[in-house]
Amino acid sequence: TYPLLQNEREIVREKLLLATTDMLRCNTRAVELIEASLWHLALMSNPREVGSFSSRSFQCLPGLALFSNPAISIAPSYAIEEALLHEAVHSFLFFAEHPTARLLSDSGLGKIRSPWTGALLDLHTAAHALIIWLVLADYWTQRCLVTEIERSQEAYRFAMQRIEFIQAGFNSVNYKSFSTAIVGSVTSGPRYLINALINRCLLNKNV
């Protein structure tokens, strides 16, 4: 991986500004979570993933998110919005777990398949994933309402695509076993958070 070029940094700066401006109109609490949980953004160019934008967080470095190829044209500001919120939730959970709090009530050595990506995940990663998808379902539902009012067709189309993708995971045949395994493995605090998010998404008819 390589640092972004100057012109690429300018492109990403504009995307970040647009993303946060749109998020403030839609959901100020999402922005507050990002500001509190994401302290550093590492922006890199990855030639091994040409034409692909991705983001990552690291349990050993809470507060840091790595964006790979954020300057490419197929990563619009809407994708940056989701990446910011996605990694902010990871960091929030990492901070909550550090140094003595536990997300899982046991060792969590088993693996379960994600209803969204199909990947096999350990229970710790799966718990993070469930919380993140619930948060994103709620966010994009609100975002869709705002973009519909503002009549921004491109933003509305992107929001609807994300909602459809997330709902497909909730509607998949293995979602119930996935969520049941996680709720049965996490400690009381995360279990309360997950159930509260599920209830909120039920009200919005996302789950």
Side-chain angles (χ1 to χ4, degrees):
T1 58
Y2 305 94
L4 298 185
L5 300 175
Q6 178 62 35
N7 67 310
E8 293 175 323
R9 290 198 296 269
E10 292 298 326
I11 291 171
V12 176
R13 187 177 290 113
E14 291 178 7
K15 290 183 181 182
L16 286 167
L17 178 60
L18 184 56
T20 52
T21 300
D22 287 341
M23 294 182 87
L24 280 169
R25 290 204 302 270
C26 167
N27 190 323
T28 56
R29 289 186 177 181
V31 177
E32 290 170 0
L33 175 64
I34 291 167
E35 290 177 339
S37 303
L38 277 188
W39 299 353
H40 301 285
L41 280 180
L43 307 174
M44 305 296 291
S45 174
N46 188 346
R48 290 175 297 180
E49 299 178 0
V50 175
S52 175
F53 166 63
S54 63
S55 63
R56 291 184 62 192
S57 292
F58 309 89
Q59 188 171 8
C60 60
L61 295 170
L64 169 69
L66 171 65
F67 283 10
S68 294
N69 300 329
I72 61 176
S73 59
I74 63 168
S77 61
Y78 321 122
I80 301 295
E81 285 179 55
E82 178 164 319
L84 286 169
L85 185 54
H86 184 132
E87 304 310 335
V89 176
H90 271 307
S91 279
F92 172 81
L93 294 172
F94 290 149
F95 279 124
E97 294 175 72
H98 181 79
T100 58
R102 296 180 62 190
L103 183 64
L104 300 178
S105 57
D106 54 35
S107 58
L109 296 178
K111 291 197 173 187
I112 50 179
R113 194 169 297 280
S114 167
W116 294 277
T117 65
L120 277 175
L121 307 175
D122 61 76
L123 284 173
H124 183 271
T125 302
H128 272 242
L130 177 59
I131 292 170
I132 287 168
W133 288 117
L134 288 166
V135 168
L136 290 175
D138 182 66
Y139 176 77
W140 284 118
T141 298
Q142 294 182 55
R143 185 75 163 85
C144 194
L145 292 173
V146 171
T147 52
E148 186 175 26
I149 293 170
E150 294 176 347
R151 301 186 183 282
S152 173
Q153 293 184 357
E154 183 181 359
Y156 181 80
R157 184 166 55 251
F158 188 94
M160 283 300 300
Q161 288 173 347
R162 297 311 292 158
I163 290 171
E164 289 170 1
F165 174 82
I166 295 168
Q167 284 182 332
F170 289 132
N171 294 332
S172 70
V173 293
N174 65 324
Y175 170 72
K176 185 175 181 180
S177 60
F178 178 85
S179 59
T180 299
I182 293 168
V183 171
S185 300
V186 296
T187 54
S188 58
R191 187 180 304 117
Y192 176 85
L193 173 62
I194 290 170
N195 286 330
L197 288 168
I198 289 174
N199 288 336
R200 183 174 176 86
C201 286
L202 283 170
L203 288 174
N204 292 331
K205 300 180 179 179
N206 287 323
V207 178

